[in-house]
Amino acid sequence: MSSASASHLGAFLKARRAQLDPRECGLPGTDSTRRVAGLRREEVAQLAAISVDYYTRLEQGRVRASASVLATLVRALRLDGDQESYLYELAGRSDALPHRRRPAQRVRPAMRRLLDQLTQTPALVLGRRLDVLDWNPAAAALYLDFSALSPARRNYVNLLFTNPVIREMHQDWKHDAREAVAALRTEAAADPDDPELARLVGELSVQDLDFRTWWAEHRVSNASYGTKRYRHRLVGDLTLDCDTWASPDGSGQRLMVLTAEAGSPSHDALRILTSWNAEQPGPERAEDLRR
């Protein structure tokens, strides 16, 4: 650790302890006038279970903190995620930064309302790793009943490669699947330490030679629109425009919408598919559509 980094680390520790209220940290109150704002050095040392001398030398830049000491300081100084990362960076120990568990993905309410309003247009909400987070009845009619799948299997790329119904309905499967792999590569670049993405890539690489080959190409794609050509098992051929819109909140969620030109055979087929799906309960939908 350079002298400049040590100086910045000491300044950060001083500034942070000055922001904390001793009583909120579980320390006994005192009626005496405090000469410093926030916590004293000895109080930080007490909360972190380290010696006052060690903590003093740490603030003065005369000793390099171990990963275990940094972990106790994170708790003692009540650092949030960004502050924790900054502390480890200043200490020259970014390699020891604990991997925080990623929060579960939840569909934004605004996305859910959009799905509810798209009654005759298939739409999906895609999250990180292209996970299928939510869908409307029209999307279930077009693809499959996503609710029948386990959450771990509700992934757009996984379905393209492993689900026979989804795979067979793509007339341009190789093109569409290769583009999906490129989109997944873009996801990997944004979050290379995602364990769930590593698991998905590992499973598909073992199961499918095409995936393994295309993943090794390192192609990336941020395409937000295109054309999908499907051969649906109930209503026949469909040519649909596929557009995706990213959520503005930085969550990585995207709304994927499939539409057909008004008056086209595909538009009429979509209307038939979604209307029968809405009117018929359960398995009767498929049987009536076949008739």
Side-chain angles (χ1 to χ4, degrees), residues 49-291:
I50 58 179
S51 71
V52 178
D53 177 65
Y54 183 91
Y55 179 75
T56 300
R57 286 187 289 136
L58 189 60
E59 274 199 3
Q60 294 173 347
R62 295 191 290 123
V63 65
R64 188 186 186 202
S66 65
S68 60
V69 167
L70 292 176
T72 62
L73 286 174
V74 167
R75 293 191 294 270
L77 296 173
R78 301 193 171 195
L79 304 183
D80 61 23
D82 291 337
Q83 292 169 328
E84 179 184 13
S85 298
Y86 186 57
L87 174 69
Y88 276 76
E89 182 180 346
L90 290 177
R93 299 303 305 268
S94 295
D95 59 320
L97 182 66
H99 293 293
R100 292 187 294 275
R101 187 170 184 175
R102 291 163 173 78
Q105 300 187 82
R106 289 183 172 81
V107 179
R108 294 183 64 241
M111 289 286 199
R112 179 65 258 175
R113 289 193 295 270
L114 282 171
L115 286 180
D116 291 339
Q117 294 172 24
L118 295 170
T119 57
Q120 294 189 345
T121 302
L124 304 169
V125 176
L126 301 176
R128 297 190 304 272
R129 304 174 294 271
L130 302 184
D131 287 344
V132 179
L133 303 183
D134 209 346
W135 56 92
N136 63 1
L142 176 64
Y143 291 114
L144 47 72
D145 182 7
F146 292 101
S147 64
L149 304 174
S150 67
R153 295 301 172 191
R154 291 180 204 150
N155 177 274
Y156 187 77
V157 182
N158 180 70
L159 291 172
L160 265 177
F161 281 89
T162 66
N163 187 283
V165 173
I166 299 297
R167 184 166 181 147
E168 291 169 10
M169 71 182 288
H170 283 75
Q171 294 190 44
D172 303 319
W173 180 84
K174 283 199 170 183
H175 172 272
D176 294 344
R178 191 164 179 248
E179 288 301 306
V181 173
L184 192 64
R185 260 293 178 193
T186 304
E187 293 281 318
D191 192 0
D193 297 323
D194 184 351
E196 289 301 312
L197 189 143
R199 179 193 59 78
L200 173 65
V201 170
E203 290 182 357
L204 291 178
S205 296
V206 170
Q207 296 173 18
D208 195 281
L209 175 60
D210 285 327
F211 180 90
R212 187 161 64 251
T213 301
W214 296 332
W215 185 257
E217 293 176 346
H218 287 263
R219 289 182 64 249
V220 294
S221 174
N222 282 311
S224 58
Y225 64 92
T227 301
K228 302 289 187 185
R229 296 176 62 245
Y230 296 139
R231 179 165 291 116
H232 196 272
R233 61 194 181 282
L234 301 177
V235 295
D237 291 350
L238 295 164
T239 300
L240 305 177
D241 291 323
C242 179
D243 295 271
T244 59
W245 287 273
S247 173
D249 68 343
S251 64
Q253 293 184 15
R254 284 151 291 180
L255 181 68
M256 172 178 159
V257 181
L258 295 129
T259 58
E261 183 179 354
S264 67
S266 295
H267 182 262
D268 294 338
L270 266 187
R271 292 186 62 183
I272 293 171
L273 185 63
T274 55
S275 64
W276 275 101
N277 182 73
E279 294 173 7
Q280 299 295 323
E284 296 178 9
R285 298 172 185 162
E287 185 59 32
D288 285 344
L289 277 169
R290 290 189 187 97
R291 292 172 185 168

